Amino acid sequence: MKMEHPAHARALPKAPTGIEGLDEITGGGLPKGRPTLVCGGPGCGKTLLATEFLVRGATQFGEPGAFISFEETGEELAQNVRSLGFDLDALVAEKKLAIDHVRVERAEIEETGEYDLEGLFLRLGFAIDSVGAKRIVLDTIESLFGGFTNEGLLRSELRRLFRWLKDRGVTAVITGERGERSFTRQGLEEYVSDCVILLDHRVNEQVSTRRIRIVKYRGTTHGTNEYPFLIDEDGFSVLPLSGLQLDHAVSNERVSSGVPDLDEMLDGKGYFRGSSILVSGTAGTGKTSFAAHFAQETARRGERCLYLAFEESPQQLIRNMQSIGLNLEPFVKKGVVKIHSSRPTLHGLEMHLVQIHKMVAQLDPAAVVIDPVSNFIDTSTAIETQAMLLRLIDFLKGKRITALFTHLTSGGSATEATYVGVSSLIDTWLLLRDIETGHERIRGLYVLKSRGMPHSKEIREFLITPRGVQLKTMKDRKK
């Protein structure tokens, strides 16, 4: 009887890239001992991705690498990636990395039956043997085959190159320029590659976005969507949007809102830890004041809070909150509260999401405040904004981070509506409104919903005083 082998025994061996998010969407990394094609237009990050693949392999996974460049010299390459914190010269000195610049002149390439890649194979073999390389990068393949017009010869030589790399057992990354109607200019490389990764750098409404897609991956499942990625001082980071599921853990622990009277309205205990809270209202109703109360109370408990302000600078926010008795400055100096200010139009929605992921990973906060989320609609459509916030809420819930969002509503819109359509995703919704009574307007608050707890149905008047937000009942006002 033929024995059935378990699935994990037949799984395709993979070489982890060490690039945040990329290993997740590829199911563990690139195919080990096989060639991967990374293609895209100019400036989309092909060389940087390939370089980081080698550096992470040498520094994190004990796999030396070889970089074969057909365009840049070793000095130029080392200088270009130094801004990402990669010291190629040190890796070369430690025999963890070999860099070879192969100069190819198209005029010197003769399309004859005798032409082959034996000379290149010797250079590749020497570079691999010099450091015992397990990974190799060829950048870019157009420089090597750009002079070919004979498609039959080109296909034959491409197959020889890819077969030679497989026979050497090295995990190869080959970069290529994107063609007009194909993933590469030659239109053949993608067919002989075991994995094809497409990078894209697009501009929409004057906002640029970089995205990555796994076009092909033989022998394994993989993410098929487009995923935004970021290139910054830490290198590549990819955000796997489709990996978020409704399987996060929940907590019965309660955390204070920072306003004792509001805690009383919420079963006397405040919010659930890890829940999502929405504070909505028209301009001037005090949304930021409630958000600042929550941030300060989080810091008082000794927990870290990430405050994302999209309308005020950190200094302006600190100054304004001091007028109502909230002093965030000591907590900011201690690093317990981190205020990050930027305009929503600075990046596309995906880039904001990637940056929030990175800041959460760096700070590991217990609470996140986003003030206000309604500004995101200025950078995209309502549907795209809703999708982005859905991913953000799921991400924060998955990490059991209590999230508070403020939302600006217009005076003529329904008070129980939000432009970004996230109200159904929210656990606790506080509605702030101006109430006209005779010759004056007062501020009122009521809890529209709060899942999982009994809560007050009262409309409470509140005052913003030098001692903070204070609530009182409408009956008290009548007295």
Side-chain angles (χ1 to χ4, degrees), residues 121-225:
F121 293 159
L122 290 174
R123 296 281 290 269
L124 296 180
F126 178 79
I128 291 172
D129 295 338
S130 65
V131 295
K134 302 296 183 183
R135 305 183 178 202
I136 190 170
V137 167
L138 276 64
D139 182 44
T140 67
I141 200 167
E142 276 75 27
S143 299
L144 185 61
F145 294 108
F148 282 71
T149 57
N150 185 326
E151 184 174 317
L153 180 60
L154 173 61
R155 184 183 294 271
S156 174
E157 293 303 294
L158 277 172
R159 289 188 181 278
R160 285 190 64 207
L161 173 61
F162 281 58
R163 172 49 57 189
W164 186 92
L165 293 170
K166 285 186 177 181
D167 291 342
R168 289 301 300 255
V170 292
T171 306
V173 169
I174 301 163
T175 65
E177 293 290 338
R178 187 172 185 178
E180 292 184 2
R181 297 183 179 180
S182 60
F183 294 119
T184 59
R185 290 182 182 178
Q186 310 298 339
L188 300 173
E189 299 91 327
E190 57 260 37
Y191 297 107
V192 293
S193 302
D194 288 80
C195 178
V196 178
I197 298 176
L198 177 64
L199 304 182
D200 182 47
H201 190 187
R202 67 190 66 169
V203 178
N204 185 28
E205 297 292 336
Q206 301 179 352
V207 177
S208 69
T209 304
R210 287 187 169 97
R211 302 194 184 191
I212 185 172
R213 180 163 69 97
I214 311 301
V215 178
K216 163 187 174 182
Y217 201 145
R218 287 175 180 158
T220 184
T221 58
H222 58 86
T224 56
N225 294 336

Side-chain angles (χ1 to χ4, degrees), residues 244-448:
L244 302 171
Q245 304 293 333
L246 287 175
D247 56 0
H248 47 264
V250 296
S251 172
N252 290 321
E253 183 184 355
R254 306 288 279 272
V255 293
S256 173
S257 66
V259 180
D261 294 333
L262 177 57
D263 290 343
E264 288 299 320
M265 296 181 69
L266 300 170
D267 194 27
K269 302 173 184 177
Y271 312 125
F272 279 118
R273 181 179 293 277
S275 64
S276 54
I277 303 103
L278 178 66
V279 181
S280 64
T282 55
T285 50
K287 299 179 295 297
T288 299
S289 299
F290 279 91
H293 267 287
F294 176 65
Q296 179 172 276
E297 184 62 27
T298 301
R300 281 177 175 170
R301 294 194 300 268
E303 299 175 338
R304 288 183 290 273
C305 177
L306 174 62
Y307 196 115
L308 303 174
F310 294 106
E311 290 184 337
E312 299 175 285
S313 68
Q315 295 77 14
Q316 183 180 4
L317 179 64
I318 291 172
R319 183 204 65 188
N320 292 348
M321 292 303 103
Q322 286 175 343
S323 67
I324 63 171
L326 302 179
N327 191 5
L328 297 175
E329 190 169 11
F331 300 112
V332 172
K333 290 181 177 179
K334 291 178 182 178
V336 183
V337 174
K338 177 180 176 58
I339 302 176
H340 177 81
S341 297
S342 66
R343 292 294 183 189
T345 52
L346 180 63
H347 303 292
L349 291 177
E350 294 89 350
M351 288 303 100
H352 279 293
L353 194 53
V354 172
Q355 288 202 326
I356 293 172
H357 274 236
K358 289 178 69 69
M359 286 186 283
V360 167
Q362 293 168 359
L363 186 63
D364 189 24
V368 171
V369 174
I370 299 183
D371 180 28
V373 294
S374 45
N375 281 18
F376 282 118
I377 201 170
D378 295 333
T379 65
S380 189
T381 65
I383 294 177
E384 291 176 341
T385 303
Q386 182 182 13
M388 175 266 194
L389 292 175
L390 168 63
R391 295 164 186 146
L392 176 58
I393 291 171
D394 280 345
F395 167 70
L396 296 175
K397 281 180 175 290
K399 292 189 172 293
R400 296 183 64 182
I401 296 173
T402 311
L404 187 147
F405 306 89
T406 68
H407 184 278
L408 174 66
T409 58
S410 61
S413 65
T415 56
E416 298 180 4
T418 59
Y419 288 129
V420 293
V422 296
S423 55
S424 62
L425 313 174
I426 295 298
D427 298 308
T428 298
W429 188 358
L430 308 179
L431 219 59
L432 311 183
R433 56 189 300 185
D434 286 324
I435 302 172
E436 295 185 6
T437 59
H439 62 283
E440 66 175 335
R441 302 178 72 178
I442 62 174
R443 293 186 177 97
L445 173 150
Y446 66 94
V447 181
L448 187 60

